[in-house]
Amino acid sequence: MKLVVLASYRGSNFNAIAEAVKTGKIPYSELVGLICNREGAPVLELAKRHQVPAHLISSKAFPNREEYEDKLLALLQSLHPDFVCLAGYLLLLGPSIVRAFPSKILNIHPSLLPAFRGLSAVKQALAAGVKRAGCTVHFVTEAMDEGPILAQKEVPVMPGDNEETLSARILQAEHHTYVKVLERLAKDSLIQPKTQ
Ligand code: GRF
């Protein structure tokens, strides 16, 4: 199973996926690329450390979103991924890319969707006063944070939680949940290890 991760900045989910591929927790898999749209993002260093080919396509360097996405699409197609994992990719993927990879693009979002779509999901959850928060892994469709849900993991909201403490608790759940989903996809997939 060939995986490509798209990330914009920190990369802790990328790191969890890379570790899980390396240790065989996600079996029959190869991380064939990390694509980042922001210069200087820590995730680029993480990719180097994991010896995953890193590609920087700075979204700011293009005159418009279409030209940026054309470049991104061409790169994605050249990598022939079985799945593309969005992991803290801070732009909305345009329809040309979503249509080119039907049911092959996954995203992780720090809320129990359909609650709290979009940015600042953790802040929204705290403002709503919910007792349980969590994360969702779902297939990407053209609408933001929609698409069939693959897995969710709940975490409690503790008294005195702020955005930082709750985000940290959710992030732990994210790493575990993303890896579990990819493990399941690898095992369910018809792709088998190549035998000589
Ligand atoms: C995560 O909370 C993820 O759910 C959201 O962006 C954050 C990325 O974190 N989409 P990291 O870059 O993987 O550390």
Side-chain angles (χ1 to χ4, degrees):
M1 184 170 77
K2 284 188 182 178
L3 301 174
V4 171
V5 175
L6 250 80
S8 296
Y9 194 66
R10 181 177 53 191
S12 69
N13 280 286
F14 165 79
N15 192 58
I17 294 168
E19 287 287 346
V21 167
K22 201 181 285 175
T23 59
K25 173 116 182 68
I26 304 173
Y28 323 132
S29 298
E30 189 189 351
L31 199 36
V32 294
L34 173 273
I35 304 175
C36 177
N37 67 306
R38 272 210 210 166
E39 226 170 298
V43 69
L44 289 163
E45 281 305 310
L46 282 172
K48 244 191 232 167
R49 202 188 304 160
H50 284 287
Q51 297 176 310
V52 172
H55 306 266
L56 170 67
I57 306 183
S58 171
S59 40
K60 283 195 183 147
F62 290 81
N64 54 52
R65 186 62 79 84
E66 286 71 30
E67 288 183 42
Y68 162 69
E69 292 224 331
D70 287 350
K71 177 91 181 165
L72 179 58
L73 178 58
L75 174 59
L76 281 169
Q77 285 172 329
S78 74
L79 295 170
H80 302 290
D82 293 297
F83 292 102
V84 176
C85 304
L86 308 190
Y89 178 68
L90 299 175
L91 300 175
L92 191 61
L93 272 190
S96 63
I97 296 183
V98 175
R99 287 177 199 159
F101 295 96
S103 300
K104 286 184 166 194
I105 308 178
L106 280 60
N107 182 42
I108 186 144
H109 183 75
S111 81
L112 299 170
L113 291 172
F116 314 126
R117 293 191 173 109
L119 290 174
S120 311
V122 178
K123 211 186 224 172
Q124 292 183 54
L126 285 168
V130 291
K131 297 271 174 289
R132 320 269 320 156
C135 65
T136 303
V137 177
H138 63 97
F139 279 121
V140 171
T141 56
E142 288 175 45
M144 184 172 60
D145 299 330
E146 289 188 16
I149 290 176
L150 289 152
Q152 294 190 302
K153 175 94 178 146
E154 279 190 10
V155 303
V157 179
M158 305 290 208
D161 258 345
N162 55 34
E163 201 181 344
E164 198 181 325
T165 56
L166 183 55
S167 296
R169 193 173 310 119
I170 294 171
L171 200 60
Q172 291 301 315
E174 289 186 28
H175 300 161
H176 180 72
T177 309
Y178 223 158
V179 166
K180 281 300 254 188
V181 167
L182 292 170
E183 181 188 349
R184 194 173 83 212
L185 289 173
K187 287 180 176 166
D188 286 355
S189 153
L190 293 177
I191 301 159
Q192 295 296 326
K194 291 186 184 73
T195 47
Q196 295 296 331

